[in-house]
Amino acid sequence: MLSRIRSFDRSVQLLLINQLTINTGFYMLMPYLAGHLAADLGKAAWTIGLVLGVRNLSQQGLFLLGGTLADRLGYKPVIVAGCTLRTGGFALLGIVDGLPALLVASAATGFAGALFNPAVRAYLAHDAADRRIEAFAVFNVFYQAGILAGPLIGLALMATTEFRLVCLVAAAVFAGLTIVQLRWLPPRRPIAVPGSSVLADWRAVIGNRSFVLFSIAMAGSYLLSFQIYLLLPLMLQRHMGGQAGGALGGVSLIFTVSAITAIAGQLRITDAARRRWDGPGAMTRGLLLMGGAFLPLAGYGIAGPATTGCCYSSLWWSAHCC
């Protein structure tokens, strides 16, 4: 693993650390946000779903805008802008309790991801060149390491303090990351197509049938994977008789098992998938495995198994990079 990391350019190495930090800060608080809204602020279930749904919609729904800005402005400015916006969004989540303000904070947090996520991946593909499959596999190891570290750090902080402080710590993580990227991340921008307009680019994307079908499949995968921190904390708390501490520990355990499994198996699964299947074949098997992982828990009424993160992170990333 270390030899593979050292073999990449310094910019790729910085992007790996960047994603580790992004996920650490994000998962410090996001798995526990539903519990905070329910237990600390006394919000109804529909309100919690609305707040988290706005965050998801503002991120996934605006990826096209974020990618367009990265194409036009370059990768670095959009990455820095996204991290800055998430700093403010997380800080706001920690100091407000009214629904309108929570929706604004949630939307800002989501749009931040819509800015830096496409830019980071495009930057990685650009600098990894013909090694992009291998680069994305290593990238996902760092991605999962952040998912492993974040909930554990968040749980440790919440054992000694309140959720609001966790939000401010996560905001500080993103503020530090913004400074690091401003200072050390080299500027990059894609090769411009002469005479190309934004609308022409969008029409080319929407007119790509294979890509549209891929996007529809990924919408289903996100719907499944997001249940880990959207619905699962509420269901765990209900099944444990309202014991918030036990539910928090259960959520942390699920993220830990998922992340460790992916970290240990990511490179091996990617290598095996490349030998046996093409991109669509790996993606199909990953989605089937993800959907099947929910079946054993259907009788318990819990959406979001520990294996979901592993299935999502391993076979899906193998397909995504092919």
Side-chain angles (χ1 to χ4, degrees):
M1 171 67 74
L2 291 178
S3 61
R4 292 202 193 194
I5 295 172
R6 294 193 189 102
S7 67
F8 288 107
D9 292 342
R10 188 169 183 176
S11 60
V12 173
Q13 296 174 8
L14 184 58
L15 289 173
L16 298 177
I17 297 173
N18 174 71
Q19 193 60 45
L20 169 65
T21 310
I22 285 174
N23 276 20
T24 299
F26 180 85
Y27 285 98
M28 279 174 57
L29 66 88
M30 198 53 63
Y32 312 119
L33 179 58
H36 164 68
L37 295 174
D40 299 335
L41 302 185
K43 301 297 182 183
W46 71 266
T47 304
I48 298 170
L50 178 62
V51 171
L52 297 183
V54 165
R55 194 215 70 81
N56 290 337
L57 181 62
S58 62
Q59 178 165 321
Q60 272 65 46
L62 295 176
F63 268 150
L64 183 58
L65 176 60
T68 299
L69 291 173
D71 283 342
R72 300 287 164 170
L73 303 177
Y75 305 136
K76 179 176 178 177
V78 178
I79 293 172
V80 171
C83 287
T84 302
L85 185 58
R86 182 157 285 183
T87 300
F90 277 178
L92 190 59
L93 278 176
I95 60 177
V96 301
D97 52 17
L99 180 58
L102 286 169
L103 291 176
V104 170
S106 185
T109 298
F111 183 51
L115 289 174
F116 60 65
N117 274 321
V120 166
R121 284 153 180 78
Y123 196 135
L124 183 66
H126 180 279
D127 278 27
D130 58 349
R131 297 181 62 197
R132 58 175 59 95
I133 295 178
E134 184 181 2
F136 272 95
V138 177
F139 177 84
N140 198 49
V141 172
F142 279 76
Y143 186 100
Q144 292 295 326
I147 293 179
L148 171 62
L152 296 178
I153 295 173
L155 184 63
L157 288 173
M158 292 183 65
T160 57
T161 186
E162 59 180 7
F163 180 82
R164 296 179 185 272
L165 183 59
V166 178
C167 291
L168 297 179
V169 172
V173 169
F174 273 92
L177 182 60
T178 303
I179 295 172
V180 169
Q181 291 173 131
L182 278 171
R183 184 177 179 85
W184 285 293
L185 188 65
R188 294 282 192 277
R189 63 185 311 148
I191 299 174
V193 178
S196 176
S197 66
V198 171
L199 290 179
D201 291 343
W202 287 7
R203 281 196 296 267
V205 171
I206 297 173
N208 188 325
R209 184 173 180 273
S210 297
F211 178 78
V212 171
L213 291 175
F214 171 81
S215 300
I216 293 173
M218 289 303 97
S221 76
Y222 277 117
L223 176 65
L224 293 174
S225 63
F226 284 158
Q227 301 311 310
I228 296 178
Y229 65 85
L230 177 64
L231 183 60
L232 183 59
L234 297 178
M235 296 301 296
L236 277 176
Q237 189 167 341
R238 178 182 299 176
H239 278 268
M240 299 188 70
Q243 298 178 12
L248 291 177
V251 174
S252 296
L253 179 60
I254 286 174
F255 276 90
T256 298
V257 172
S258 174
I260 290 177
T261 304
I263 291 170
Q266 178 65 76
L267 295 179
R268 293 182 178 88
I269 292 175
T270 298
D271 291 340
R274 291 174 63 186
R275 290 193 303 267
R276 291 176 172 84
W277 309 305
D278 57 7
M283 184 177 67
T284 299
R285 287 166 175 82
L287 289 172
L288 287 174
L289 188 56
M290 178 187 290
F294 283 86
L295 295 178
L297 297 174
Y300 298 96
I302 298 178
T307 54
T308 297
C310 174
C311 302
Y312 175 80
S313 64
S314 301
L315 287 177
W316 184 88
W317 274 101
S318 300
H320 179 70
C321 301
C322 292

